[in-house]
Amino acid sequence: MAVVMPPTKPPAQQARKEIYNIVFATLNRLEIEASPANYELMYDVISGNNPELREKFSRLRKPIAEHEVEALARTYLPHHFGKSIHDESASRLQNELTSLKESLQSGQSSLSTFTNMLGQATGKISSIDPRDTKTMQSHLGSIRQLSEVQQSKSAKLLENVSTQISTVAAISDEVEQFERTKFTHPTTRLANRRGFHKKLAELYGAERYPDDISLLFCNLLVLTPFETAEFLRLKEAFLERLGAIVSQTVQTMDFAAWLDRPQIGIIVRTSAETEVQKIADQLKRSCLAAFDSRQGVMPKVIARFGCSTTYQAGTASELVANTEKALQTAIDEQNEKVVFLSGATRKDWMLYRS
């Protein structure tokens, strides 16, 4: 275990600032509008956060048409088009519910008509002379025919209602799936940076202050050789495998997200350094297995870890900054163990506890 004093300014923040500048410069050079959707799209392209998107964007012919950029944004950044999607879904849902209501009303009307006709037919039978078998059979045949027609109508109604209910459920699933994509990294299937920030906001926005919680950052230097265009497909396969590995490593009570750099952020519900180190060791062993190559051509897996706790941070941004400092120390010193933030006063939230 290594415990060191953090540097004053984490280079990770400087790196993000530089890529922001590159994104705006690229949008300007390609004459693409710097809208929120286009900015995030270009950010993912330049950072390599989404290899598939990066490859598809590189195939666009210059000058890049606005509708082509929008098509990519709708596919990979659906959250920017959430209003139109929700409006469309609400309109479809309203139409299906209206149709369902009409079907049920039609079924109720048909059943009422059948009941009245059956009552009339039964009344006529009671007035028939039991010895008049011919008339009796005729009326019974009419009742049987009415029942068969009603049975057919009921079966059709049941089929229509079942179809409409399935359609309503499908629309609901589409909206739910859309909501999930807003907070999910498309390749690793882990939470994305947006989902990561949402989780931090939930922690610090709760009635009780978050205590006994650690934030662990992991920087995987093994991905660096795969940033070039020819290895994008290979990198995508690695990201899918790594996402599954991280999901298996993180327990049910913990939370993992795929970030641009550092690549992995894990919220661990313990401040015990030994437990955090166990998670880091397990993650590194899993990555070694994922990148194993019998031919010996795969790059060596190098992982750096930095960690801090909520005891040392009064806000979510302070927690992230502290962890970035610890991670940068691990990178600078090439430390293979988790570097825990030191030099900060442990904050006690007992006064805020209920």
Side-chain angles (χ1 to χ4, degrees):
M1 179 187 71
V3 179
V4 299
M5 292 293 292
T8 305
K9 296 181 179 180
Q13 293 180 358
Q14 181 63 28
R16 282 203 297 270
K17 184 177 180 181
E18 290 174 358
I19 197 170
Y20 293 158
N21 293 333
I22 294 173
V23 169
F24 279 115
T26 305
L27 288 172
N28 183 61
R29 177 171 57 82
L30 296 176
E31 298 183 349
I32 298 175
E33 181 188 1
S35 65
N38 291 346
Y39 173 85
E40 187 171 351
L41 186 79
M42 188 59 63
Y43 183 93
D44 284 348
V45 169
I46 292 175
S47 67
N49 195 35
N50 190 330
E52 182 180 355
L53 168 61
R54 188 173 182 176
E55 182 182 12
K56 288 185 178 180
F57 186 86
S58 66
R59 292 178 183 176
L60 299 180
R61 288 190 293 181
K62 311 298 186 295
I64 299 175
E66 181 179 347
H67 68 88
E68 293 179 315
V69 177
E70 182 179 341
L72 287 178
R74 283 186 175 275
T75 300
Y76 293 97
L77 305 172
H79 52 279
H80 283 285
F81 305 90
K83 184 176 180 180
S84 61
I85 290 176
H86 280 294
D87 289 345
E88 179 186 349
S89 298
S91 177
R92 290 170 56 200
L93 189 61
Q94 183 177 9
N95 291 337
E96 290 298 332
L97 291 175
T98 300
S99 179
L100 177 60
K101 180 180 178 181
E102 291 173 352
S103 295
L104 292 174
Q105 288 175 338
S106 174
Q108 184 179 15
S109 175
S110 176
L111 184 60
S112 297
T113 301
F114 169 71
T115 302
N116 291 334
M117 294 178 67
L118 184 61
Q120 293 174 7
T122 303
K124 289 181 179 180
I125 289 179
S126 62
S127 63
I128 296 175
D129 187 343
R131 293 170 295 182
D132 189 354
T133 56
K134 187 176 180 180
T135 304
M136 182 72 72
Q137 289 176 352
S138 176
H139 278 75
L140 289 175
S142 298
I143 292 175
R144 182 171 57 252
Q145 187 177 7
L146 285 173
S147 300
E148 289 174 353
V149 170
Q150 181 59 36
Q151 184 179 9
S152 177
K153 288 182 179 180
S154 298
K156 188 175 181 179
L157 172 64
L158 182 61
E159 182 181 352
N160 290 340
V161 169
S162 178
T163 300
Q164 289 163 343
I165 290 176
S166 297
T167 303
V168 169
I171 295 173
S172 178
D173 288 343
E174 288 177 12
V175 175
E176 185 179 348
Q177 177 62 27
F178 166 74
E179 287 298 320
R180 284 197 298 266
T181 60
K182 291 199 301 185
F183 304 104
T184 304
H185 184 259
T187 309
T188 63
R189 310 310 302 167
L190 299 172
N192 57 15
R193 185 171 286 277
R194 188 178 299 101
F196 174 71
H197 289 160
K198 180 174 179 287
K199 186 65 176 180
L200 288 178
E202 290 174 355
L203 286 177
Y204 278 90
E207 294 182 1
R208 296 180 57 182
Y209 241 88
D211 56 358
D212 206 32
I213 292 177
S214 300
L215 175 59
L216 176 67
F217 277 165
C218 173
N219 204 18
L220 288 171
L221 305 183
V222 69
L223 295 177
T224 304
F226 298 96
E227 297 295 340
T228 54
E230 58 268 27
F231 288 124
L232 285 180
R233 283 288 185 186
L234 191 57
K235 179 182 177 182
E236 183 178 359
F238 289 154
L239 290 181
E240 290 177 356
R241 192 181 305 173
L242 283 171
I245 287 172
V246 174
S247 295
Q248 294 172 0
T249 303
V250 176
Q251 299 179 12
T252 306
M253 294 297 293
D254 298 332
F255 175 87
W258 187 267
L259 314 174
D260 41 15
R261 187 64 62 88
Q263 289 94 346
I264 303 173
I266 302 177
I267 297 175
V268 188
R269 293 190 175 277
T270 179
S271 59
E273 296 182 358
T274 53
E275 294 301 316
V276 174
Q277 184 64 59
K278 285 180 182 179
I279 293 176
D281 291 341
Q282 183 180 350
L283 183 61
K284 185 174 181 180
R285 285 194 300 271
S286 299
C287 289
L288 284 169
F291 286 93
D292 183 33
S293 173
R294 297 179 182 179
Q295 304 299 324
V297 296
M298 294 296 292
K300 180 181 179 182
V301 175
I302 300 176
R304 300 289 181 250
F305 298 93
C307 181
S308 68
T309 71
T310 50
Y311 289 118
Q312 301 162 321
T315 64
S317 59
E318 187 178 349
L319 178 65
V320 171
N322 288 345
T323 310
E324 285 181 339
K325 293 175 183 178
L327 175 61
Q328 191 58 49
T329 301
I331 295 173
D332 293 342
E333 298 188 354
Q334 300 182 9
N335 199 320
E336 295 188 358
K337 294 293 185 180
V338 178
V339 171
F340 296 89
L341 183 74
S342 178
T345 304
R346 178 185 176 96
K347 297 181 179 180
D348 192 351
W349 307 114
M350 287 296 294
L351 292 177
Y352 299 93
R353 293 180 182 176
S354 56

